[in-house]
Amino acid sequence: MLSESFKQSGVVSEAGKQSAPANRLLHHYPTHRMEAEAIRDAMLAVSGRLDGKLFGRPINPSRPTEDAAKRLFSGPLDGDGRRSLYLTMSIMAPPKFLMTFDLPDLRLPSGRRNVTNVPTQALLLLNDPLVDSLARHWAAGLIKTPHASPEDRLDSMFVTAFGRIPTESEKAKWTTLLQSVVTRPDVMADEAAWTQLAHTICNSQEFIYYR
């Protein structure tokens, strides 16, 4: 991570396009999708649920059904905020969330991970109870945090999720989205509306890709 290549910007310059269209000279850092564990951990982090404690006992992933004979037990939906590193892995039933984002087959050695982009990943981010739960937790925290205006809160959400403030164009679009999902007169206290925005951010391309 200290190499010059790793620290390159992801912005592609015109000169770079001309000299090495395929980026063989590493004139910019290629856009990468985060690994399965990092996507889950990022959602825990932005929502405020991430437990940064090191070490400790492994924790069972959430499962729809348990099978005591196979020692497949279900844990909390968000794993008590523990990083994906601490999730118990089972060859018979690995965590479905991580598998959808290309967790390697636990039965086989793997020197490199696949990186796919398939509809099931988008559907998972839209409908998985974990994503919904963390979006609600994020929104609940936002409601308790004083912000001067909806725009100020949007700035805070962008910095938390993307490490930057939104452009004026983005701010206008997200404000329009907020106005379309409000459920009560006081928008700053409308937890349902802010949950929708938090959920949308977790579903964005920029959230699961880094450059």
Side-chain angles (χ1 to χ4, degrees), residues 54-188:
L54 297 177
F55 313 114
R57 299 284 298 174
I59 191 163
N60 288 311
S62 177
R63 292 190 173 93
T65 58
E66 295 186 335
D67 188 337
K70 296 179 180 178
R71 297 185 179 180
L72 297 177
F73 303 104
S74 181
L77 180 60
D78 65 356
D80 281 340
R82 297 289 278 161
R83 290 174 56 201
S84 303
L85 175 69
Y86 297 103
L87 288 180
T88 300
M89 295 291 169
S90 169
I91 292 176
M92 292 177 285
K96 289 187 177 180
F97 185 93
L98 301 185
M99 289 296 294
T100 304
F101 285 100
D102 305 312
L103 182 75
D105 190 332
L106 302 179
R107 297 167 298 180
L108 303 171
S110 177
R112 177 178 299 190
R113 294 193 181 202
N114 294 326
V115 180
T116 61
N117 184 10
V118 294
T120 50
Q121 294 166 353
L123 290 171
L124 182 76
L125 291 176
L126 278 172
N127 302 307
D128 192 90
L130 172 64
V131 185
D132 182 62
S133 172
L134 293 177
R136 284 188 279 107
H137 192 275
W138 188 6
L142 291 170
I143 297 301
K144 297 174 183 177
T145 305
H147 293 101
S149 65
E151 291 78 12
D152 186 40
R153 183 169 288 170
L154 278 171
D155 285 350
S156 173
M157 295 177 76
F158 262 65
V159 170
T160 300
F162 305 137
R164 65 177 181 87
I165 61 173
T167 64
E168 291 302 317
S169 174
E170 288 173 327
K171 195 174 295 186
K173 292 177 181 178
W174 282 83
T175 300
T176 300
L177 173 60
L178 176 63
Q179 293 170 348
S180 70
V181 296
V182 292
T183 61
R184 52 190 298 181
D186 184 4
V187 66
M188 297 300 287

Side-chain angles (χ1 to χ4, degrees), residues 28-44:
H28 73 276
Y29 189 83
T31 300
H32 279 69
R33 199 202 71 204
M34 293 193 295
E35 296 84 357
E37 297 92 333
I39 293 173
R40 177 182 174 275
D41 292 356
M43 290 193 296
L44 289 171

